[in-house]
Amino acid sequence: MTKQQFLDELRDALTGEVAVNVMMDSYNYYSHYIDEEMRSGKSEEQVLEELGKPMLIARSIIAAHEGERNVDYEYTEDGHNKTVRNNPFKNKENGNGSDAGSRLHSAFDNIMSKIMFVLVLLVLFFLVFFVIKIGVWVLVTFGIPILLVLGIIYLVMYFSS
């Protein structure tokens, strides 16, 4: 396989699967990468052998673009995918992850996170409120009388000398 064949297969595999700019970025990246490796002394065949099959690279790019990195699939050398572990939220009947149980679990997580956020804000508000209230109480109860006593002592010492 030549560099151009590799790039053409990569472009063909990405066409229609990702946005045009993602496809062109990937095409340009691998073109420059192959050129750089060849300038460093490797042959075209060595570089292409190290890269592997363009279909596998394309599947990885598609998965990264679609956010499938968290999906339970692994891409094989021929570009096909296989499940590597069971997803407990997958619908057993049709094999997709959009059953009512996963929607309920997702909605429950969102509701619980919102409730926890509101509770944390309330606790912080009351904590700040009580710290300020206690601070004002301490200032009024102890601070002002202490300042008055110190002021009186200062005045006595000032006028007695």
Side-chain angles (χ1 to χ4, degrees):
M1 175 181 293
T2 66
K3 171 188 169 185
Q4 193 57 49
Q5 289 172 330
F6 177 89
L7 294 173
D8 289 343
E9 283 185 32
L10 180 65
R11 185 191 64 233
D12 291 343
L14 292 175
T15 301
E17 298 291 330
V18 295
V20 175
N21 63 334
V22 173
M23 179 188 62
M24 292 308 298
D25 288 345
S26 301
Y27 184 93
N28 291 333
Y29 171 80
Y30 282 100
S31 177
H32 292 297
Y33 177 81
I34 293 168
D35 290 340
E36 286 295 318
E37 290 295 310
M38 288 171 55
R39 274 194 280 273
S40 70
K42 293 182 182 178
S43 69
E44 186 177 63
E45 294 80 25
Q46 287 174 323
V47 176
L48 295 175
E49 186 176 317
E50 288 175 3
L51 283 175
K53 296 186 178 184
M55 179 60 83
L56 182 59
I57 293 171
R59 292 295 294 166
S60 298
I61 294 169
I62 294 166
H65 177 69
E66 293 177 351
E68 292 179 3
R69 286 286 184 208
N70 295 329
V71 176
D72 298 329
Y73 297 113
E74 178 180 281
Y75 299 106
T76 59
E77 280 294 316
D78 61 358
H80 298 301
N81 56 8
K82 65 178 181 176
T83 304
V84 291
R85 65 180 187 271
N86 291 328
N87 185 344
F89 301 109
K90 250 187 199 176
N91 189 342
K92 302 293 185 212
E93 295 171 8
N94 61 12
N96 67 17
S98 62
D99 66 336
S102 65
R103 285 194 307 267
L104 177 62
H105 185 269
S106 176
F108 180 74
D109 284 345
N110 291 336
I111 291 170
M112 289 304 292
S113 64
K114 291 175 184 175
I115 291 172
M116 291 302 294
F117 179 72
V118 169
L119 287 175
V120 167
L121 283 179
L122 286 173
V123 167
L124 287 174
F125 173 77
F126 285 117
L127 184 66
V128 168
F129 174 77
F130 286 119
V131 165
I132 291 173
K133 184 177 179 181
I134 290 171
V136 170
W137 177 80
V138 167
L139 179 66
V140 170
T141 307
F142 299 108
I144 293 175
I146 289 173
L147 287 175
L148 287 174
V149 169
L150 289 174
I152 292 170
I153 292 171
Y154 175 76
L155 289 173
V156 168
M157 287 174 45
Y158 180 77
F159 288 116
S160 65
S161 55

